[in-house]
């Protein structure tokens, strides 16, 4: 069974979302990371592709967090992106695989000649 968040705290000044799961694992994810890995169809794409490469989000921030039932949250970003529903499973996967996903993202940016800024 996938752990569920017992606490989610937005630190807007540092653009970090702290997530404490009920198995006592704690993760700090940047708003940029959560934005570029949004589970929305716009970002994720359809099917099994790697999805759209989102760049230029280094300074993006979360302005609102909304509960979606007992299984997810919707994050509202200050660049007007708000269509991603982050299930507990998605949040845990993004947390556990952060280093691997972030490394691959930076490689994709470099290959595309794009930047985080």
């Amino acid at each position: 069974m996938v752990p569920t968040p017992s606490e989610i705290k937005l630190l807007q000044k540092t653009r970090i979302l702290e997530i404490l799961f009920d198995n006592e694992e704690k993760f700090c994810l940047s708003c940029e990371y959560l934005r570029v890995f949004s589970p929305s169809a716009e970002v994720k794409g359809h099917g099994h592709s790697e999805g759209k490469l989102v760049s230029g989000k280094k300074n993006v921030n979360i302005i609102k967090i909304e509960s979606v039932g007992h299984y997810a949250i919707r994050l509202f970003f200050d660049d007007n992106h708000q269509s991603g529903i982050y299930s507990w499973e998605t949040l845990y996967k993004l947390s556990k695989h952060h280093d691997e996903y972030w490394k691959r993202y930076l490689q994709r940016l470099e290959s595309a000649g794009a930047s985080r800024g």
Side-chain angles (χ1 to χ4, degrees):
M1 198 164 126
V2 176
T4 59
S6 54
E7 186 179 338
I8 297 174
K9 188 187 304 182
L10 175 61
L11 307 172
Q12 276 192 309
K13 271 189 178 175
T14 53
R15 295 187 291 274
I16 296 290
L17 190 69
E18 282 185 355
I19 306 166
L20 176 63
F21 286 92
D22 60 6
N23 65 356
E24 300 304 315
E25 287 183 278
K26 184 178 181 178
F27 299 95
C28 295
L29 304 176
S30 72
C31 294
E32 176 188 13
Y33 176 72
L34 291 163
R35 174 61 179 89
V36 301
F37 284 99
S38 170
S40 69
E42 170 199 339
V43 174
K44 199 174 183 181
H46 302 280
H48 298 290
S49 69
E50 272 211 83
K52 178 182 171 189
L53 178 63
V54 178
S55 61
K57 301 299 176 185
K58 186 177 184 178
N59 294 312
V60 75
N61 210 337
I62 294 168
I63 54 173
K64 181 179 167 187
I65 301 171
E66 186 176 273
S67 290
V68 178
H70 294 288
Y71 68 93
I73 55 173
R74 178 191 311 264
L75 300 178
F76 294 78
F77 294 89
D78 62 7
D79 67 350
N80 294 319
H81 180 75
Q82 60 187 40
S83 58
I85 305 278
Y86 296 76
S87 68
W88 302 151
E89 184 177 359
T90 296
L91 280 174
Y92 191 69
K93 193 174 177 182
L94 286 171
S95 298
K96 287 297 277 188
H97 300 284
H98 175 275
D99 294 347
E100 170 194 341
Y101 291 174
W102 189 247
K103 183 179 176 187
R104 189 165 65 224
Y105 170 71
L106 294 177
Q107 289 168 344
R108 287 182 69 205
L109 274 182
E110 189 176 334
S111 295
S115 77
R116 291 174 55 210

